[in-house]
């Protein structure tokens, strides 16, 4: 099981590392510079909020791995998960609400575009915020699943 997890994680890491390099020219060709700028902003925000995870999902991963073998440890896992869920949910809501209230400012001052409408850029920012806030919240569960060594496809 451990060998399969290592191989699976290695393959997924390689795919994640090389996929952007392969897809960059394709995206630029199909999207054009304005749309590609929004697309790039999306990926930059994903990386930024991954850093702002502050290691909580990794901490939860380690805690689950070390405490999932007994009943007392499982109760502790549930308590920690509830605490982290509240933290991650608040953080996710703050991401979305801050983008919702700042979308006009962001579209007017952070982006230069000629072929897009202001409304389209603002809608794109809201979609980006929704995706990022969902990914932030889901990262907690991914850490728990990885800690239980149940991530092999």
């Amino acid at each position: 099981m451990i060998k399969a997890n290592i191989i699976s994680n290695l393959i997924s890491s390689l795919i994640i590392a090389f996929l952007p390099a392969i897809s960059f020219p394709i995206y630029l060709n199909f999207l054009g510079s304005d749309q590609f700028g929004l697309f790039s902003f999306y990926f930059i925000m994903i990386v930024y909020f991954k850093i702002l995870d502050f290691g909580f999902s990794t901490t939860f991963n380690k805690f689950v791995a070390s405490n999932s073998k007994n009943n007392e440890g499982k109760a502790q896992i549930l308590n920690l998960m509830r605490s982290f869920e509240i933290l991650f949910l608040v953080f996710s809501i703050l991401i979305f609400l801050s983008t919702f209230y700042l979308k006009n400012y962001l579209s007017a001052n952070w982006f230069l575009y000629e072929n897009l409408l202001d409304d389209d850029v603002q809608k794109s920012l809201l979609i980006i915020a929704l995706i990022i806030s969902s990914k932030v919240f889901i990262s907690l569960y991914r850490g728990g699943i990885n800690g239980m060594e149940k991530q092999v496809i």
Side-chain angles (χ1 to χ4, degrees), residues 45-101:
M45 289 292 102
I46 285 177
V47 170
Y48 180 71
F49 285 107
K50 184 88 169 155
I51 293 169
L52 284 179
D53 176 30
F54 295 118
F56 283 115
S57 58
T58 305
T59 301
F60 187 61
N61 179 340
K62 184 174 190 264
F63 189 79
V64 168
S66 62
N67 292 300
S68 62
K69 306 299 182 220
N70 58 41
N71 288 334
E72 183 180 318
K74 290 178 182 177
Q76 290 176 341
I77 290 170
L78 288 175
N79 287 335
L80 184 62
M81 186 176 74
R82 285 188 191 109
S83 300
F84 277 178
E85 278 177 336
I86 293 168
L87 181 68
F88 277 57
L89 182 62
V90 168
F91 190 52
S92 296
I93 290 171
L94 284 174
I95 291 169
F96 184 77
L97 290 178
S98 62
T99 306
F100 180 77
Y101 288 113

Side-chain angles (χ1 to χ4, degrees), residues 26-40:
I26 297 168
Y27 284 134
L28 190 56
N29 185 35
F30 283 109
L31 294 177
S33 61
D34 290 345
Q35 293 91 345
F36 186 75
L38 282 172
F39 189 71
S40 298

